[in-house]
Amino acid sequence: MMEVKSAPPDSILLRARRHRICAEFEKNLQERCGWQAGEGLLIGLSGGADSTALLLLAAVLAQRDKKTFVINAVYVHHHLRAEADGEVTHCANLCEQLGIAFSAVDVHPTRGRTGLAADARRLRHAALADCAVKTNSKWILLAHHSDDVLETLLMRIGRGAGNRGLTTIPWVRRSAPKSSIQVARPLLSLSRTQIEEFCRHCEVSWCDDVSNSNIKTARGLLRDQIVPTLRERWPGIAQHALHASESARSGEWALKQIALMEGWTNSEIPRKLMKSRGPELSAALLASALRQRAISISLRMIRQVVEAACDRTVRPRIFHEEGVTISLNARMLSISTCE
């Protein structure tokens, strides 16, 4: 745990309200995420500096307008680290100090087919959504920041992600496709350093998760060794990563619209259309169209199909992967799936 001299609750919130980050947080929450004053907030609280800062900033809003909305905080206990019990106690004490309703929810992830981290993330998101419903909260706030965007972007590049993968962490999304609950990340414009400085300014302590610096994991290696070196060379690299991610998201949206307008989402696509767009743009449009149809094939296969569609060969060819068959003849590309 990061030890900082504890301050009285009123002093903590006064310091938070006067810090420049407070205005940036509120602007991001309203303009970037779409929150409106009075809508209930649920804070995903882990005890780290980032979620602690998020809690304080949300508490400032609630203190200003106590009669119209409330905030709640929840710790999702994955039972994967011995330190987690202490983090629950720390979070409960901080929320009690600030007069914020707190609860801890237990989940038990397994490795399964997708891996332990993926299952933990799935269960965590489900637990947060359930708590939002129970507390009548329209918004779930998470504390991701620009360093998280940079680390995610680097990992996805390393894994060969396409355009959609480079969009990384969104400012806001629905908790589920048809849900009215929004998941927002109003700290994305801030760095980890800025957030920790804010917590020190407010005189609050936080918990450090040592597993985040485990260099045996991809994120731990990036955080402990690679990103600090990159930041020495390019101090603004995390902000640049955020801007790059936002640009990729805009590009992904544009591809989706073009794919819809030009008929790339149909089961049959004329080779003439693909040749007119060229292999690079055709690959991006086809990938976007397949995602819209919930059809999943590898980027490698998409590139193979597009290169074949754009060449001069007229003989029939067939490509198959994971229940998806793409047939190519002299005039048309046809897509079929196994039910």
Side-chain angles (χ1 to χ4, degrees):
M1 180 182 296
M2 183 67 184
E3 294 295 339
V4 179
K5 181 182 177 182
S6 180
D10 289 343
S11 175
I12 291 174
L13 295 184
L14 179 62
R15 287 171 175 267
R17 185 166 62 248
R18 290 178 174 175
H19 197 283
R20 63 176 183 79
I21 280 180
C22 189
E24 185 170 352
F25 161 79
E26 186 172 1
K27 181 179 179 181
N28 287 344
L29 188 58
Q30 292 177 338
E31 297 181 9
R32 292 281 193 171
C33 303
W35 176 80
Q36 296 182 9
E39 295 177 333
L41 302 174
L42 177 71
I43 311 300
L45 185 62
S46 67
D50 45 8
S51 65
T52 297
L54 183 65
L55 181 74
L56 298 184
L57 292 164
V60 170
L61 293 184
Q63 186 185 55
R64 184 192 307 165
D65 202 5
K66 290 181 179 179
K67 294 182 179 180
T68 60
F69 86 105
V70 296
I71 62 173
N72 292 270
V74 60
Y75 180 102
V76 180
H77 196 326
H78 301 87
H79 296 274
L80 296 176
R81 297 180 296 109
E83 302 87 357
D85 289 338
E87 292 169 359
V88 172
T89 301
H90 172 81
C91 292
N93 291 339
L94 178 60
C95 287
E96 182 180 9
Q97 187 179 12
L98 297 174
I100 295 171
F102 172 79
S103 61
V105 178
D106 295 306
V107 297
H108 300 277
T110 59
R111 294 193 180 278
R113 192 167 62 88
T114 59
L116 187 62
D119 194 47
R121 182 167 54 251
R122 177 185 64 81
L123 292 174
R124 180 169 63 252
H125 290 169
L128 289 170
D130 184 57
C131 288
V133 171
K134 290 178 179 177
T135 58
N136 196 29
S137 302
K138 292 186 176 182
W139 294 83
I140 298 170
L141 300 193
L142 302 180
H144 296 93
H145 43 73
S146 61
D147 290 77
D148 293 319
V149 173
L150 174 58
E151 292 164 6
T152 303
L153 185 63
L154 291 171
M155 285 193 294
R156 291 187 178 179
I157 291 173
R159 293 166 181 165
N163 188 73
R164 183 168 179 260
L166 302 183
T167 60
T168 67
I169 304 172
W171 284 93
V172 63
R173 65 168 177 82
R174 293 187 184 277
S175 64
K178 296 183 180 180
S179 175
S180 61
I181 298 170
Q182 302 281 359
V183 179
R185 299 170 173 88
L187 301 185
L188 279 184
S189 61
L190 303 172
S191 69
R192 182 178 292 110
T193 299
Q194 289 175 305
I195 289 170
E196 290 181 355
E197 186 278 326
F198 170 77
C199 289
R200 292 189 187 94
H201 173 84
C202 296
E203 296 187 356
V204 293
S205 59
W206 66 86
C207 304
D208 282 319
D209 181 355
V210 294
S211 67
N212 286 332
S213 298
N214 180 6
I215 62 173
K216 292 183 179 180
T217 67
R219 191 174 292 276
L221 179 64
L222 286 168
R223 185 171 299 181
D224 187 72
Q225 298 184 9
I226 297 174
V227 169
T229 301
L230 293 175
R231 188 177 284 109
E232 286 182 8
R233 182 64 179 265
W234 299 292
I237 191 170
Q239 280 294 320
H240 299 330
L242 176 61
H243 296 156
S245 178
E246 291 174 332
S247 295
R249 190 172 301 280
S250 297
E252 182 66 15
W253 179 87
L255 287 170
K256 180 178 179 180
Q257 302 310 308
I258 296 171
L260 287 170
M261 290 188 295
E262 294 188 349
W264 291 78
T265 55
N266 297 335
S267 295
E268 292 189 333
I269 305 170
R271 285 183 69 178
K272 183 178 179 180
L273 173 59
M274 303 183 77
K275 288 181 179 181
S276 71
R277 288 302 188 186
E280 291 81 10
L281 182 54
S282 290
L285 288 166
L286 181 58
S288 177
L290 292 174
R291 282 194 294 273
Q292 292 178 63
R293 296 179 58 189
I295 296 175
S296 177
I297 62 174
S298 67
L299 289 174
R300 179 180 179 182
M301 180 174 172
I302 289 174
R303 294 188 185 104
Q304 289 176 344
V305 168
V306 167
E307 288 173 3
C310 292
D311 68 22
R312 296 184 179 182
T313 304
V314 296
R315 62 177 174 81
R317 284 165 285 180
I318 296 178
F319 302 84
H320 183 79
E321 182 181 281
E322 297 182 5
V324 180
T325 299
I326 299 180
S327 304
L328 191 66
N329 60 33
R331 295 182 55 254
M332 200 72 63
L333 180 147
S334 302
I335 304 168
S336 61
T337 58
C338 296
E339 298 297 335

